[in-house]
Amino acid sequence: MLSGSRYALARLISTVENRSTDILQLMERIYGHVRGIPTLGITGPPGAGKSTFVDRLIARYRQEGKRVAVIAVDPSSPFSGGAILGDRIRMQSHALDAGVFIRSLGSRGHFGGLTMSTSEVVKLFDAAGFDVVLIETVGVGQTEFSVMEVADTVIVILVPESGDTIQTMKAGLLEVADLFVVNKADREGADKIQAELRNMLHLKPATDGWQIPVVLTVASRGQGIDEAFDQIQAHQAWLAASAETRRAEIRRRDFQAIVLEEVGSRILRVIDLPEGPVAELQTRVRDGGLNPYSAALSLFREPARLSQLVSAAFLEPS
Ligand SMILES: Nc1nc2c(ncn2[C@@H]2O[C@H](COP(=O)(O)OP(=O)(O)O)[C@@H](O)[C@H]2O)c(=O)[nH]1
Ligand SMILES: [Mg+2]
């Protein structure tokens, strides 16, 4: 992968997506090659034009000679495909371009798994020499929000039909956006929603001097893409001023997330074993003889048994 093989890159992404047991060793080797390339999150309601916008943005970055990786995240799907198939088709103009790599990720496994995988796939793209990663999420649920934490510039795409900007606030989009795009500006009401958003943003104190822009686009015709691109660049430049603090914070969060994820998923793998250290507790809970809270509390009050469980979880996988 480090010497440029797309095949190797695709294989490593699958390794990460399948949560194989050797991910930590893999990522340990990759990490020294990770530079911290711009990572953009694109979110918003279904049908807003996210994929069309991403397609245009890819073209814009290609004009600059940048190599672009795209991750299309669909938390509702355990497999790549489904809703994403249409997105792939919309980005097909780049299918034969060696400077573009498009990959979809679905939700396999457990809590936090998708955000973790997304963050690791971004690092793979980075180490493989790509210059920018675009993450498109389908929909606006809780998982999509945590996936957006992986991005350093979050673009929220709305359409005039989203109408009510109050809905936007309710959905929590105001909190995550670094940049608003009102797409389908060829339709009635785009100016109105732009004005409403700007009003709302004025009420919100600017974070350290970044005033969240609201850009109008017609992605299907390529209109407004240059302006959106310029605002993305401006946000990246603004981020650069605090790059060291941000990177330190990201490293701290990465460490915590890796530990949590690894401990959690390993314990899940052994907790059900019939010979395991909590087998008896588990049986009593299942049969209704013991309250699950009491069972958990008794385990936590007995450090010896808790460490037996943790040790079992960290024995080399058979
Ligand atoms: N009228 C209009 N249609 C658009 C625009 N941008 C995208 N579309 C169309 O909206 C539909 C949904 O677009 P898509 O990119 O798949 O949305 P996504 O679900 O947010 O990824 C497609 O039929 C696009 O061709 C636009 O600016 N104006
Ligand atoms: Mg899409």
Side-chain angles (χ1 to χ4, degrees), residues 286-304:
R286 195 189 52 220
D287 296 346
L290 183 64
N291 170 336
Y293 291 92
S294 313
L297 283 169
S298 81
L299 177 63
F300 299 150
R301 283 181 193 130
E302 215 185 313

Side-chain angles (χ1 to χ4, degrees), residues 93-106:
S93 52
H94 306 286
L96 297 175
D97 182 347
V100 178
F101 197 111
I102 299 170
R103 178 65 182 238
S104 33
L105 288 181

Side-chain angles (χ1 to χ4, degrees), residues 247-266:
R247 294 223 170 100
E249 178 56 21
I250 290 169
R251 287 191 294 263
R252 188 184 72 91
R253 278 212 322 244
D254 273 359
F255 171 64
Q256 294 183 354
I258 294 161
V259 171
L260 273 179
E261 152 81 16
E262 194 64 15
V263 170
S265 61
R266 278 176 179 263

Side-chain angles (χ1 to χ4, degrees), residues 49-52 83 87 90-91 136-138:
K50 296 182 293 297
S51 300
T52 313
D87 293 348
R90 259 183 281 293
M91 298 175 201
E136 176 188 342
T137 59
V138 176

Side-chain angles (χ1 to χ4, degrees), residues 45-52 87 90 136 183-187 217-220:
K50 296 182 293 297
S51 300
T52 313
D87 293 348
R90 259 183 281 293
E136 176 188 342
N183 189 41
K184 306 199 182 180
D186 51 329
R187 297 192 177 164
T217 61
V218 183
S220 52

